[in-house]
Amino acid sequence: MFSSRKSIELFKVCIICKSKAYLFAKDNNFEIYKCSVCGFGFTNNLKEQVGDYHRDIEYFQEEELFENIFLKRVKIISRYIKPASKVLEVGCSNGLMLSLFKKRGYQVVGIEVSSYASELAEKRGIRVIKKPFEKIIFSEKFDVIIFNHTLE
């Protein structure tokens, strides 16, 4: 449940358009701001994830459900990119979505800090970078970068 404190900042500058962003929600670990102009939402004071993601098991138990959801997304994205495009997924979990892109002939790379999930993605033939996104310096370029259930 979100709580309010008297010492919180009610406004920040939007990181996209530099307009005023207002406090949308807050709990003990982070604050969510939403821009009053462009609508972009961003998190402030988010703690870095260390180790495995606490919901890994749910993603694996419901893989058939997630495959249906991801297949719809892959079909939509595929309309806008060329065959053999390079796709990066930040927070790729077990590599399920990237495996669907790979089956269509796309070049895929995942980023995943969860050791258990990244091992499963590698078993699918996905190249996985096992560092936090903000600490990676890329030498390659990507046509699509996906943040699915990652920025929250």
Side-chain angles (χ1 to χ4, degrees):
M1 189 63 144
F2 293 108
S3 64
S4 61
R5 292 188 195 148
K6 294 179 181 175
S7 62
I8 60 174
E9 292 181 64
L10 297 177
F11 296 97
K12 290 223 176 267
V13 175
C14 175
I15 60 177
I16 300 296
C17 73
K18 308 298 182 214
S19 298
K20 188 182 275 189
Y22 61 92
L23 183 65
F24 182 73
K26 178 177 177 57
D27 80 359
N28 293 330
N29 298 313
F30 59 87
E31 303 159 349
I32 299 173
Y33 290 83
K34 185 173 181 182
C35 179
S36 57
V37 175
C38 72
F40 181 74
F42 59 95
T43 306
N44 191 48
N45 296 332
L46 186 64
K47 294 180 180 173
E48 180 179 322
Q49 176 183 329
V50 178
D52 292 347
Y53 180 51
H54 68 281
R55 290 183 59 199
D56 276 345
I57 300 303
E58 291 175 35
Y59 283 104
F60 309 133
Q61 290 174 342
E62 301 294 335
E63 188 165 296
E64 189 176 317
L65 172 69
F66 283 104
E67 185 170 352
N68 288 331
I69 293 167
F70 294 157
L71 188 56
K72 290 176 186 175
R73 294 177 182 170
V74 168
K75 287 178 180 178
I76 291 168
I77 293 168
S78 294
R79 289 187 224 155
Y80 301 98
I81 59 177
K82 297 176 184 175
S85 291
K86 292 180 78 172
V87 178
L88 172 70
E89 183 179 9
V90 179
C92 70
S93 185
N94 64 0
L96 180 59
M97 185 174 348
L98 287 178
S99 71
L100 298 172
F101 278 104
K102 188 175 180 178
K103 286 178 186 174
R104 290 174 170 246
Y106 297 104
Q107 300 173 56
V108 297
V109 178
I111 296 174
E112 181 55 59
V113 296
S114 170
S115 57
Y116 180 64
S118 63
E119 287 175 19
L120 294 174
E122 288 174 330
K123 286 180 182 175
R124 294 181 192 269
I126 307 298
R127 188 179 113 215
V128 180
I129 301 168
K130 300 172 188 173
K131 293 181 183 177
F133 173 73
E134 61 274 10
K135 294 184 179 178
I136 301 171
I137 299 172
F138 290 96
S139 59
E140 59 191 308
K141 296 183 188 244
F142 297 92
D143 301 296
V144 175
I145 300 175
I146 298 168
F147 286 82
N148 182 59
H149 290 159
T150 301
L151 294 175
E152 71 274 19

